[in-house]
Amino acid sequence: MGLKIVVIGGGSSYTPELMNGFIRRSEELLIDEIWLVDIPEGKEHLSVIRDLSRRMWEAAGLRTKIYTTLDRKEALPDADFVITQFRVGRLYARIKDERIPLLHGMLGQETNGAGGIFKALRTIPVISEIIRDMERLCPDAWLMNFTNPSGMVTEAVIEKMGWKKCMGLCNVPTIAMMKEPALLGKKEGELTYRFGGLNHFHWHRVWDKQGREVTDKILEFINDKDGGTPVNIYQQPMDMELLRSMHMIPCGYHRYYFSAEEMLEHSLQDFKLHATRAEQVLETEESLFELYRNPSLHTMPPELNKRGGAYYSDTACECISAIHNDKGSIMVVNTENKGAVNCLPEDCCAEVSCVISAKGASPVAYGEMPEAVRGLLQMMKAMEQCTIQAALTGDYGSLLQAFALNPLIPDGAEARRVLDELLVAHEKYLPQFAEITAKRKKEGVFCEDSVVQNLVRAGH
Amino acid sequence: MGLKIVVIGGGSSYTPELMNGFIRRSEELLIDEIWLVDIPEGKEHLSVIRDLSRRMWEAAGLRTKIYTTLDRKEALPDADFVITQFRVGRLYARIKDERIPLLHGMLGQETNGAGGIFKALRTIPVISEIIRDMERLCPDAWLMNFTNPSGMVTEAVIEKMGWKKCMGLCNVPTIAMMKEPALLGKKEGELTYRFGGLNHFHWHRVWDKQGREVTDKILEFINDKDGGTPVNIYQQPMDMELLRSMHMIPCGYHRYYFSAEEMLEHSLQDFKLHATRAEQVLETEESLFELYRNPSLHTMPPELNKRGGAYYSDTACECISAIHNDKGSIMVVNTENKGAVNCLPEDCCAEVSCVISAKGASPVAYGEMPEAVRGLLQMMKAMEQCTIQAALTGDYGSLLQAFALNPLIPDGAEARRVLDELLVAHEKYLPQFAEITAKRKKEGVFCEDSVVQNLVRAGH
Amino acid sequence: MGLKIVVIGGGSSYTPELMNGFIRRSEELLIDEIWLVDIPEGKEHLSVIRDLSRRMWEAAGLRTKIYTTLDRKEALPDADFVITQFRVGRLYARIKDERIPLLHGMLGQETNGAGGIFKALRTIPVISEIIRDMERLCPDAWLMNFTNPSGMVTEAVIEKMGWKKCMGLCNVPTIAMMKEPALLGKKEGELTYRFGGLNHFHWHRVWDKQGREVTDKILEFINDKDGGTPVNIYQQPMDMELLRSMHMIPCGYHRYYFSAEEMLEHSLQDFKLHATRAEQVLETEESLFELYRNPSLHTMPPELNKRGGAYYSDTACECISAIHNDKGSIMVVNTENKGAVNCLPEDCCAEVSCVISAKGASPVAYGEMPEAVRGLLQMMKAMEQCTIQAALTGDYGSLLQAFALNPLIPDGAEARRVLDELLVAHEKYLPQFAEITAKRKKEGVFCEDSVVQNLVRAGH
Amino acid sequence: MGLKIVVIGGGSSYTPELMNGFIRRSEELLIDEIWLVDIPEGKEHLSVIRDLSRRMWEAAGLRTKIYTTLDRKEALPDADFVITQFRVGRLYARIKDERIPLLHGMLGQETNGAGGIFKALRTIPVISEIIRDMERLCPDAWLMNFTNPSGMVTEAVIEKMGWKKCMGLCNVPTIAMMKEPALLGKKEGELTYRFGGLNHFHWHRVWDKQGREVTDKILEFINDKDGGTPVNIYQQPMDMELLRSMHMIPCGYHRYYFSAEEMLEHSLQDFKLHATRAEQVLETEESLFELYRNPSLHTMPPELNKRGGAYYSDTACECISAIHNDKGSIMVVNTENKGAVNCLPEDCCAEVSCVISAKGASPVAYGEMPEAVRGLLQMMKAMEQCTIQAALTGDYGSLLQAFALNPLIPDGAEARRVLDELLVAHEKYLPQFAEITAKRKKEGVFCEDSVVQNLVRAGH
């Protein structure tokens, strides 16, 4: 008997990637049913995706059935894998995450910055409800989380909600492992990788088949076009002298920390041009759906790769296969740290190279972090934990702490205003902060950006 | 037989405070000789201080002898206590530490900011030479370090140079313990204090004589004029909602972190008015020495208290007495952590409440730090350790790392320029960086600030 | 207004020591009422103690009132300090603790050996009920625990029952600090002590008033009659070459570990002579009570000192005074470790030098333990934690684990028999193990020692 | 070009196993030369092994060349892998390791007991000389250590001698992974294993291909004949109730700890019958060499499997192949812990499941150890570290500490006598203890066992 897979946020433009990944693995991964779940606002998109998906499976000559529903309770019973890739408040919320901080001259950064903090605040309560449903309806299922900030969401699921069968996925390490070998004239799979750190804040080291470390060699390509940085990050050159001193390869998102000023400047330009990442994506999405609606399309269109989620299916589908087929593959996921990154708490989540088998993810000990990396990691983890605390309790103090710790947010009264404006703008999706938000509104807090105002007015 | 005390940097305007403290403790602390050591450039100041000191001891009817020398090897033999309060490059160097970053729109902050990093780079090599002399000339002496950044200097002495009989002192905790009881209508000594953290980056909790914690009560006064913040820090009000969420009292220097933007704005105004803290102090110093030269002055003039070193002698002399008289007093010093602040490495230095007795400082376990505090502390300690590494080795990469970690320094190319300009401006005092500095000069790096240029031209 | 003190196990022969200690401190410790609580079986002893106590206070010209009750709920309301010094199953239980293992050729050792494990199993459930009463009746009271095994009981109270206002006391460190100075020709108080470890399993280091470590000097006297070992421990000479290699002074109980075979041999002789420690004490007790009954006695009789509890009152009364008067004294107590002994968990209890003030016990960081000591301490702590787990849950597996870890208990089938015989013999006091004990009885487990059989038959 | 492999202790009766393993892997592991190194006393055995090995390779139709030498410097140049399987003092020393403690009624146990301690004392200095030669002659070679106590030797090599390219091997985990699947009706490789602990003192957990933990199921077979315990350990049944409470599978050697008394009793019988393990092996060895000398033998004789080293080649050859071919296999080796077993120091060696690739062994984080296991592991590690310290420095105090910590050695004067007799009996192989041994001899220390006396007299 084949698997039952449920995709929450199934109406996403990424879903065809996922279908593609499953179809390519159809020999090792027999799937009976895929359930696509979405919210009423996403109904039309969901049906577009359903139709395309069905055309894709049919073209592949396979019998996997595609179902859709607006009620996840209908989809979850006896699921084997639940994939979460939803976005609370959709891209409209991300626009606010990015534009509100930028209006005040700060980076929003939708994963670990102010935007990421608010994305966590919106997402964690919803994930919590999903877990409650899963406890009843599919207590043996694996939760494969793709929803950003993937590290914080996964830590909340594993450590706070106690659902141990969860992995947090991200395509950034996958992209590095796919792209980097070519830099040294090698093929994919010919290098050995060790990743350690946090989601969108990890480092890695690399060895060749003779056991020689080639980290420093690959590092030299980091500012190249094909250096392994995801295309959705502005390719601001990084300071090579700083990186060389660390002897580890940072992820593309480290640009936001090590070149904060330049990344901010670039984002401010985008802000003025109404071309923040979220606004761009909103547009791309529309054109993608236009393509998807074409009834003669029955494969994943190449345009999707530009969206930023390249190798998304390689991460998700391969990981599901490694679990289902007890493969013992080494992959990079967010999982309970257990001392693998030894400067972080044992019982937090880290993004680290793991052996993935039927029993789950077993993290490989990363070894000593140099001081410079240790300090940053520890602070980011504390920031994540304050955010998770705030998301679960609605405690305003914890939220202030997360802002105070976050290195992308300058400290002072202006940051406080950004925080309050974000609370007010996202009011609809932050019931846990209802009281303080009401107070702030009464005090007259609101965001002056017309884009944000229009979104709020439109009910987003 | 009485004690022999050596003061390195004896020509400092602070020395009369120290004399005052010793004189007030003459019954418990019998001192035979005090040796004031300074460098040739400080010769005139040194003689002013010597004369005033002699007048002070004479007026007190005591026989302690005051000697001066420009060669510390003459002073050190058989010393019991060596007090270090020197400033490599004198106030002129501090002016550069503050003005160069401010020229580029960044805080210099002479203790933990960019200025503090460079002060450590200049000081640690000199301390290393002093230790080498002490090993031969007074191997049983205690080193009482007051030179800032006191935490980093002390860690370098204890952990890197292996001189365990060293304490790093600071008057900031003393000021808090002197001023705060009055806020609750109590007298000095009626409250129990526990400090934990790093120099100029510590927190504390307080209990009354009934064992009830009064931390939160005192916290409410933190923005008051007499709230316990040193007068030399601009009294920018702190965010009470943030602080209340932590249930610990931060030190005055936390303003630089929690209100970075406002503190920067204020410093930029000072910069424009040629009134940075160093420039102000240079002026105060001159007027103090004017007073000191008055042959009829034979007590410490009250003007000294405005200089920012209030209770300096209470810290230094009391600590010396606690060691010499095996008092077992509880005082706050920088010492080897040994797990007292359990989120920091065992073998680093922390600033923590200690039992001070003849055997040295025994730190009192501080207990769990909340997440928000933990993350900041860990990052600041990593920053300190990169700085110490850079100071000892001249490694440019470690210096870049310290800058990347420091939360008062925005990340990006501009910070790199500040770093290089500081290297060039301090060239004379940073022999360990000679090679890279020469390279930077060849590349045309120099600071455009006319004050800095004039100082360099004048040989500072 | 004066204090209200409740003594649970008030009918103990030790109580006159306690009265003596309070009377000697009457100037600093104003006590209104002392309530002596005991169980019905101890009623006669309780009245003897009450009468003697009243005579003692009266002779001292003080008005403190002595009350007795067999119901602790009558005594507890609004107590300031509750002292626990009871013995579940009285000395009869201790006789079983010692004789049953010895019958099988093993040490019973009533604190950390097999006897200590069973004493913990009997005591912890009763302490748990006392805490429940205190939560309602005197929620602000301090619990000063003297009931052995003091370390395990205190850890159960603080870490498992969540009653933070608890200290575990022991006179062993006090005896060392009282006796050792004389070995070096010093007076009490002239040496500085640092203790670290576990109850009856601690080490200490010592410094003189010049800050020189004198640990090794004192160590040389450890096998002397007045070397600081409690008189109730057989003075088997310890291996000086082993101890010298550790540069720390062990406690008297380390004889049981480092000279296990000789201590066993000595105990086996006592066993044959019906002179195990418990049997001896039972006799001493009787003669003590004979003395106490003398209506003309109104001071503590010197014979009590031979009982093994010397300086008991110095520990208890001084500690109460340090709390009540916010003295900041340095004393050795069992309290939450918080990293003070850094090879043990943060959240366990350790016996360590602490600053004792109104806020409670603040442990002083002990610093690095040598490997040999670290290994033993870690194993003993694990043994304690398995025992506490067994005591609280009645889990037989945890009890087997405690036995397997305990170095005084040889591993194998014989130990299992000892364990089962102890369970059966103590059936009355171990309701949490009722099921397994019934099973064992059905299997025919019983102890063949006639002393034990007689005790059981007599209802003990 | 093929590999060059050097086997130190090449004259061992195990070597045919090794040859067999290499021959079976000849397709993946091209070997040009195998050098067998031994000492002059082993010359005859060495030539027997050489001849048999040559016949084996020839019979397999392969061209690998076998060389022998009595001077390792001749063999080491440019070696790729150096395998150490030597035994300082040969089996004669092991006879002393076992008989001397047994004469005094204690277990010798040649790996972690008193025998193991002395084996480490003899071996570590020799390994240190080998490393010095390797530094010059084959600085890129891997050291695959099989010499027991494998954990201590490997820790000395990696942590004290700084040779990071070293793995300590042992066939005990391999045997478990080979035998256990059949207990559940599975085939080899169908279960997922995680090992954690120390050499001959490890635990493991097991999962099936559906990710369900089957540890408890396998545990039930532990006392069965085919339960996975090495045949060279006396099959004393273990206490199932104790083991069930731990939910982890111990290794066969845990019998020595958990059933110490029964194992001792059994060993004492062997002692009386002159059939200690070493004496048995000496006999087996002779009959093995008799077989090996048969010129028509050109395969490994099945009798070798009874020797106790079953699956030896599967461990060694597979591990070499995993490194050479960058396989990423999961195997159990002794390597630097790096937090994988989080109750042990980061920088010690642990025996743990690792990913083995060209870069070496990457340990997989084992996760939390239950308290009972934690305490034992921590004490055994401390015991190992005292032993390593003693072996490297000849410090008698460290050796006393190792004895005091070792749970297989009863504490007291008798153990001290055993220690001294072992020192004297092994005098020839313990130059680092020359001074204390001379002193002990002068004091008249010698072993009364006639077997030991004869060995010493015969120059062993």
Side-chain angles (χ1 to χ4, degrees), chain C residues 297-372:
Chain C
L297 181 77
H298 44 63
T299 56
M300 185 188 83
E303 287 83 351
L304 178 51
N305 274 336
K306 298 186 194 143
R307 167 73 179 79
Y311 303 107
Y312 164 59
S313 71
D314 283 291
T315 309
C317 302
E318 186 55 35
C319 202
I320 287 173
S321 177
I323 295 172
H324 180 63
N325 296 307
D326 195 32
K327 280 179 154 183
S329 321
I330 298 194
M331 300 186 70
V332 182
V333 302
N334 289 274
T335 188
E336 193 169 60
N337 180 31
K338 290 182 184 165
V341 180
N342 62 36
C343 61
L344 296 178
E346 301 273 329
D347 58 354
C348 75
C349 278
E351 187 161 310
V352 63
S353 295
C354 292
V355 183
I356 309 286
S357 60
K359 74 180 276 298
S362 299
V364 176
Y366 186 82
E368 213 57 51
M369 289 284 178
E371 279 147 3

Side-chain angles (χ1 to χ4, degrees), chain A residues 239 241-242 245 257 260-262 371-372 374-376 378-379 382 385 397 400-401 405 410-413 416 440, chain B residues 239 241-242 245 257-258 260-262 371-372 374-376 378-379 382 385 397 400-401 405 410-413 416 440:
Chain A
D239 183 336
E241 282 180 284
L242 173 62
S245 76
Y257 304 91
E261 302 232 300
E262 288 77 9
E371 279 146 4
R374 195 189 73 202
L376 282 167
Q378 290 174 323
M379 200 189 52
Q385 294 188 327
L400 287 171
Q401 291 173 7
L405 284 167
D411 293 308
R416 183 68 180 277
R440 291 293 176 258
Chain B
D239 182 336
E241 281 181 285
L242 173 61
S245 75
Y257 304 91
F258 293 149
E261 301 232 299
E262 289 76 9
E371 278 147 4
R374 194 189 72 201
L376 281 167
Q378 291 174 320
M379 200 189 52
Q385 294 188 328
L400 287 171
Q401 290 173 7
L405 284 168
D411 293 308
R416 183 69 181 275
R440 289 295 175 257

Side-chain angles (χ1 to χ4, degrees), chain A residues 177 193-194 327-332 353-356 364, chain D residues 328 330 355:
Chain A
M177 293 188 284
Y193 279 83
R194 289 293 176 270
K327 279 182 155 183
S329 322
I330 298 195
M331 301 187 68
V332 182
S353 296
C354 292
V355 183
I356 310 287
V364 176
Chain D
I330 298 195
V355 183

